[in-house]
């Protein structure tokens, strides 16, 4: 019965973390470039149970008409120990596009990230909602400088009348190229970059940036790939699983109460 409590409790903890992940997806349904997360659960390794305290002569309880299973404690079988969160995986599928007409709004189609400068070092993002600062720098909404291929901030000349961005990140002021966006990807491993928060990603140790295979669309933004209806369905289903675990805990607690207070008296 104690194991039943632990198994049900472990399942409830898993579903609580899954709920937190779904809630975060819903909260960022309108965040530019956001990629939804999914909770991947796994089962604890099952434990092999054997009967103990059967006395020194195991043949008394394991033999039948002269047949014995051996001199060790009889095997009962395996028992699952519940589930746990194995990974919070990010779904990197493409989000839809929204046309804004702002020349500094950039959307990525396919694989790729923009590089920005943060207090923690260079980080990567798919949020292309950029602005021109008072000093002419291209920055994110959080004031982080957008970087070129030399890890330097990109500055737009004060006399620039029009800004054009090419499919691979070429930036033109009029007919003159003034910078090249650092537009990179990290191979096919979806775990090469991990979420930091604020639509930023940081590379895993050993992950090296390379030229991105995707394309940049100017005057557009990539929407979140969160499907609100699907997330709400998942949330309802998650609630039902959590409720089932809660009832299992209540049942185990009732059985323990009867064992202690009623069977014990007999």
């Amino acid at each position: 019965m104690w194991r039943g409590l632990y198994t049900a409790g472990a399942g409830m903890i898993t579903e609580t973390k899954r709920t937190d992940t779904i809630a975060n997806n819903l909260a960022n349904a309108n965040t530019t470039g956001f990629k939804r997360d999914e909770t991947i659960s796994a089962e604890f390794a099952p434990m092999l149970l054997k009967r103990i305290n059967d006395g020194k002569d195991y043949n008394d309880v394991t033999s039948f008409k002269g047949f014995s299973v051996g001199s060790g404690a009889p095997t009962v079988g395996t028992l699952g120990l519940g589930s746990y969160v194995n990974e919070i995986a990010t779904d990197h599928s493409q989000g839809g596009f929204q046309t804004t007409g702002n020349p500094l709004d950039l959307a990525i189609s396919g694989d790729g990230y923009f590089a920005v400068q943060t207090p923690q070092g260079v980080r990567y993002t798919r949020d292309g909602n950029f602005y021109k600062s008072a000093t002419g720098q291209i920055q994110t909404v959080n004031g982080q400088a957008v970087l070129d291929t030399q890890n330097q901030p990109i500055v737009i000349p004060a006399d620039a009348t029009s800004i054009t961005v090419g499919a691979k990140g070429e930036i033109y002021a009029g007919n003159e190229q003034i910078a090249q966006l650092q537009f990179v990807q990290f191979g096919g491993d979806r775990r090469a970059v991990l979420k930091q928060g604020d639509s930023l990603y940081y590379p895993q140790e050993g992950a090296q940036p390379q030229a991105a295979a995707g394309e940049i669309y100017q005057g557009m933004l990539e929407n979140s790939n969160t499907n609100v209806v699907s997330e709400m369905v998942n949330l309802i289903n998650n609630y039902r699983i959590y409720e089932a675990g809660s009832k299992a805990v209540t049942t185990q607690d009732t059985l323990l109460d009867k064992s202690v207070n009623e069977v014990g008296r007999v």
Side-chain angles (χ1 to χ4, degrees), residues 94-191:
Q94 182 73 51
F97 291 140
Q98 173 188 357
T99 301
T100 66
N102 185 341
L104 292 182
D105 280 345
L106 306 177
I108 296 174
S109 175
D111 293 334
Y113 299 91
F114 302 112
V116 298
Q117 185 65 53
T118 73
Q120 295 78 32
V122 178
R123 294 294 183 264
Y124 302 90
T125 183
R126 287 181 65 96
D127 182 358
N129 188 15
F130 300 142
Y131 295 89
K132 178 182 176 181
S133 70
T135 59
Q137 278 191 4
I138 300 180
Q139 297 181 348
T140 68
V141 292
N142 294 322
Q144 300 151 341
V146 180
L147 302 179
D148 62 14
T149 53
Q150 304 301 318
N151 278 343
Q152 296 299 315
I154 298 173
V155 180
I156 299 176
D159 58 351
T161 57
S162 64
I163 297 296
T164 305
V165 181
K168 293 299 182 181
E170 311 90 341
I171 301 178
Y172 296 90
N175 295 322
E176 179 184 358
Q177 183 172 352
I178 59 173
Q180 174 72 44
L181 276 169
Q182 188 175 157
F183 181 42
V184 298
Q185 67 180 53
F186 293 85
D189 185 1
R190 62 179 175 82
R191 292 174 292 183

